[in-house]
Amino acid sequence: SAAFAYGILGHRFDEALELAERAIQVHPNSTFVRNRAGAVFSVSGESDKAIAQFEAAQRMNPLDNKTATVTFTVATTAHFFARRFEESVRRGRRTMAITADANIARWIAAAALGHLGRLDEARVEIDKILALHPIATLARARRASFRYDWMYDLYLDGLRKAGLSIPGAQASA
């Protein structure tokens, strides 16, 4: 939990990565630890490490939908930042099938679809985002917690291609 808070909430990625590694050593059979560590690795640009945590958590508890939502969100994000956009969309859709309000997975999947040039599908996701968050803009999307500028650039460029607008403008239909 501390690694997650340091990384996602506090933008203290070095400490978060160290805590995540230690948590895995202490509790290697905890899906909670694997999911939180995976999230930290994912937003820190450590996609392969994040995916390893996703796979471990999935093996430990393949039928728990509550855990699966977090697990698949980690995979969605990790594959996105590894530029495996098709797999990111696939994992994102799996997450959204489990729970319709899987907001992070929807945002990431929309960006991945934008990069894939699948603009009709991307705009459907953007419309769903706007239905839940009418004030969603690229500026607000910039508030996500990522370690590197390239991650923000990749994410925001995908959302822009998907149809998310600048403040005050509407997403195209």
Side-chain angles (χ1 to χ4, degrees), residues 56-79:
Q58 187 65 26
R59 280 191 307 272
M60 284 183 232
N61 201 354
L63 301 177
D64 179 9
N65 281 347
K66 181 175 174 57
T67 301
T69 300
V70 175
T71 304
F72 280 107
T73 298
V74 168
T76 302
T77 306
H79 283 293

Side-chain angles (χ1 to χ4, degrees), residues 8-142:
I8 307 290
L9 305 175
H11 302 267
R12 295 169 60 182
F13 295 104
D14 290 333
E15 292 109 323
L17 288 167
E18 183 179 324
L19 289 169
E21 293 284 358
R22 286 181 25 208
I24 293 166
Q25 289 173 355
V26 173
H27 299 288
N29 297 317
S30 168
T31 57
F32 180 84
V33 166
R34 296 291 184 150
N35 282 322
R36 292 297 186 249
V40 169
F41 294 142
S42 182
V43 300
S44 297
E46 302 281 344
S47 293
D48 290 337
K49 284 185 177 180
I51 291 165
Q53 300 315 307
F54 154 76
E55 291 171 349
Q58 187 65 26
R59 280 191 307 272
M60 284 183 232
N61 201 354
L63 301 177
D64 179 9
N65 281 347
K66 181 175 174 57
T67 301
T69 300
V70 175
T71 304
F72 280 107
T73 298
V74 168
T76 302
T77 306
H79 283 293
F80 178 80
F81 287 121
R83 298 177 188 265
R84 293 188 286 266
F85 301 127
E86 286 287 349
E87 187 64 14
S88 180
V89 171
R90 190 169 80 79
R91 299 296 183 178
R93 288 197 168 138
R94 177 73 174 107
T95 309
M96 291 179 273
I98 295 168
T99 179
D101 63 349
N103 292 323
I104 296 168
R106 186 173 311 285
W107 283 78
I108 298 290
L113 287 163
H115 282 297
L116 290 168
R118 292 164 48 185
L119 302 183
D120 291 339
E121 294 172 75
R123 287 189 182 109
V124 167
E125 298 306 330
I126 293 296
D127 287 345
K128 289 177 183 176
I129 290 168
L130 290 170
L132 293 169
H133 306 283
I135 59 172
T137 62
L138 289 172
R140 288 186 178 274
R142 181 79 169 96

Side-chain angles (χ1 to χ4, degrees), residues 135-156:
I135 59 172
T137 62
L138 289 172
R140 288 186 178 274
R142 181 79 169 96
R143 294 180 184 172
S145 182
F146 305 130
R147 185 175 193 182
Y148 299 108
D149 287 341
W150 69 263
M151 298 172 84
Y152 286 103
D153 294 343
L154 185 67
Y155 179 58
L156 297 174

